[in-house]
């Protein structure tokens, strides 16, 4: 059974940084797309970033380009999200997800991911 476990969330002041990690087990991690999504209270889950199976391509929501960086280490079955210049509006629960997604246009949609972590809270104070 696939398990995804996020870590690294917490409370940070605006302008600060956090690095989220997502450790995967129970499946061939290295051939699947990995994504990060977030969900704030009262809002729908939104796409943050995704990375192709070999790390060769990454995709971001426009508001996060230049601030967030997704990366993966297939030897460690782990995907990361480095978040810099954090803003109060980045406050949310952040989820990692794994899926067998063949076209990058499909990376943006939660329905295309098969497995999800439990989420980690990120709170940015002003």
């Amino acid at each position: 059974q696939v398990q995804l476990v996020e870590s690294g969330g917490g409370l940070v002041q605006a302008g600060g940084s956090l690095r989220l990690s997502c450790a995967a087990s129970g499946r061939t991690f290295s051939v699947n797309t990995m994504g990060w999504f977030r969900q704030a209270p009262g809002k729908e889950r939104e796409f943050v970033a995704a990375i192709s199976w070999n790390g060769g391509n990454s995709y971001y929501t426009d508001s996060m380009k230049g601030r967030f960086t997704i990366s993966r280490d297939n030897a460690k079955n782990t995907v990361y999200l480095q978040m810099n210049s954090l803003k109060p509006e980045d406050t949310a629960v952040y989820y990692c997800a794994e899926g067998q997604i063949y076209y990058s246009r499909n990376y943006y949609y939660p329905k295309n991911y098969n497995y999800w972590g439990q989420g980690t809270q990120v709170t940015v104070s002003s």
Side-chain angles (χ1 to χ4, degrees):
Q1 186 170 352
V2 175
Q3 276 196 319
L4 301 176
V5 180
E6 302 99 334
S7 60
L11 173 64
V12 63
Q13 288 189 330
S17 298
L18 284 173
R19 188 193 195 204
L20 306 183
S21 299
C22 172
S25 62
R27 191 176 178 90
T28 308
F29 168 86
S30 62
V31 299
N32 290 336
T33 299
M34 298 299 297
W36 286 97
F37 290 77
R38 70 185 186 186
Q39 188 165 19
K43 295 188 177 182
E44 292 188 353
R45 192 167 297 190
E46 67 169 335
F47 174 79
V48 174
I51 189 166
S52 58
W53 68 276
N54 62 355
N57 294 289
S58 56
Y59 303 85
Y60 302 90
T61 295
D62 286 346
S63 64
M64 298 158 203
K65 288 180 182 177
R67 298 194 300 126
F68 291 7
T69 302
I70 188 171
S71 61
R72 66 190 295 165
D73 185 339
N74 285 348
K76 296 182 178 179
N77 286 355
T78 302
V79 63
Y80 306 97
L81 185 68
Q82 177 68 44
M83 305 186 295
N84 299 328
S85 302
L86 283 162
K87 305 174 182 179
E89 51 264 42
D90 293 319
T91 295
V93 177
Y94 283 70
Y95 299 90
C96 72
E98 180 181 341
Q100 292 180 319
I101 306 172
Y102 299 106
Y103 300 104
S104 59
R105 62 176 181 267
N106 294 327
Y107 289 178
Y108 302 88
Y109 306 103
K111 66 178 182 179
N112 293 324
Y113 292 80
N114 304 108
Y115 302 100
W116 293 83
Q118 82 289 349
T120 186
Q121 177 70 46
V122 172
T123 303
V124 185
S125 63
S126 57

